Amino acid sequence: AQKVTQAQTEISVVEKEDVTLDCVYETRDTTYYLFWYKQPPSGELVFLIRRNSFDEQNEISGRYSWNFQKSTSSFNFTITASQVVDSAVYFCALMTTDSWGKLQFGAGTQVVVTP
Amino acid sequence: GAGVSQSPRYKVAKRGQDVALRCDPISGHVSLFWYQQALGQGPEFLTYFQNEAQLDKSGLPSDRFFAERPEGSVSTLKIQRTQQEDSAVYLCASSPRTGEGIDEQFFGPGTRLTVL
């Protein structure tokens, strides 16, 4: 069975603070892909990153960074120096090669950034 | 705009009515996906097309749900005899390739269905 857990329901920060979103996944497949999507109030899911199970290198893109650790089945996401425009729901998702195309999403974490 | 479009954006139906939700994927995208997102939850997979072939419909919750993509571009998700539990946002996504690679899925704005 595959599962994605985002234990944090909502995180509130003041602008310029850093915020880390946790994502823990479960799968028996050895080949899989992990994703993060952002869903702003407009509702449209916006792709942020894709990582495959063989690439454990951490990644940084501007103020965003991701920490993938297979040993703990986690794929955490950090926003550095948060801005009001970062306010959104963030989803972690898993796709395995046995169920290609089927994104398994977590429940999401609502991030609220106040000025 | 070159993104995924969905219509209508909002739909109110009385219980028992049939509804049809439309998705226009990004031009040239081979794969098309439907997801259902209940309030406060993550999207749940419904079905997947590769061109006109429906390759996976394991997520359709009941036989009242039917999806088609007859010419390999526009897709329609039909829900017959709607129930209150069908109230959700229905998201459509497309991606350019098939199973040879894992591409990101580009999502549309969704159709918010409310069943009274």
Side-chain angles (χ1 to χ4, degrees):
Chain A
Q2 295 161 184
K3 187 178 178 182
V4 176
T5 302
Q6 294 180 257
Q8 304 147 308
T9 305
E10 180 172 326
I11 301 176
S12 293
V13 295
V14 177
E15 211 169 17
K16 297 184 183 175
E17 288 183 339
D18 297 348
V19 56
T20 295
L21 312 180
D22 298 333
C23 172
V24 174
Y25 62 92
E26 294 176 30
T27 179
R28 293 182 179 175
D29 294 307
T30 56
T31 304
Y32 52 88
Y33 297 80
L34 295 161
F35 300 76
W36 276 95
Y37 279 84
K38 173 182 180 180
Q39 189 173 43
S42 62
E44 198 160 324
L45 283 159
V46 177
F47 168 82
L48 297 178
I49 190 171
R50 174 185 61 244
R51 173 67 77 221
N52 74 56
S53 52
F54 300 108
D55 181 2
E56 288 191 71
Q57 274 196 330
N58 292 330
E59 181 157 339
I60 298 174
S61 175
R63 295 184 298 105
Y64 294 167
S65 62
W66 291 269
N67 182 358
F68 177 27
Q69 295 203 348
K70 280 179 82 169
S71 60
T72 55
S73 297
S74 65
F75 187 43
N76 296 338
F77 171 35
T78 297
I79 303 172
T80 302
S82 59
Q83 300 176 1
V84 173
V85 293
D86 296 327
S87 296
V89 180
Y90 291 85
F91 291 98
C92 180
L94 168 70
M95 184 192 298
T96 68
T97 50
D98 283 349
S99 57
W100 191 91
K102 188 183 298 187
L103 281 169
Q104 175 82 39
F105 285 88
T109 298
Q110 170 88 55
V111 172
V112 179
V113 183
T114 53
Chain B
V4 178
S5 61
Q6 294 186 244
S7 61
R9 292 292 314 277
Y10 303 91
K11 177 69 179 178
V12 178
K14 291 183 180 178
R15 192 165 51 129
Q17 282 185 332
D18 297 348
V19 299
L21 313 180
R22 176 187 169 107
C23 172
D24 282 86
I26 293 172
S27 178
H29 276 198
V30 171
S31 301
L32 185 144
F33 311 85
W34 284 98
Y35 291 84
Q36 179 190 58
Q37 186 175 19
L39 189 64
Q41 301 296 316
E44 297 268 351
F45 172 84
L46 293 177
T47 186
Y48 149 56
F49 290 86
Q50 183 174 307
N51 295 307
E52 68 277 4
Q54 189 174 20
L55 298 188
D56 187 341
K57 53 182 181 179
S58 61
L60 296 176
S62 78
D63 59 7
R64 296 186 296 104
F65 287 71
F66 172 75
E68 59 183 5
R69 194 185 185 200
E71 297 177 358
S73 55
V74 170
S75 177
T76 304
L77 176 67
K78 298 179 179 177
I79 309 173
Q80 297 177 323
R81 303 181 304 282
T82 53
Q83 304 294 315
Q84 285 188 324
E85 61 262 29
D86 300 335
S87 296
V89 175
Y90 290 86
L91 296 166
C92 177
S94 68
S95 69
R97 293 187 293 180
T98 62
E100 293 86 20
I102 300 292
D103 289 322
E104 66 183 272
Q105 294 181 16
F106 295 83
F107 282 82
T111 294
R112 182 177 296 278
L113 172 65
T114 302
V115 182
L116 303 177

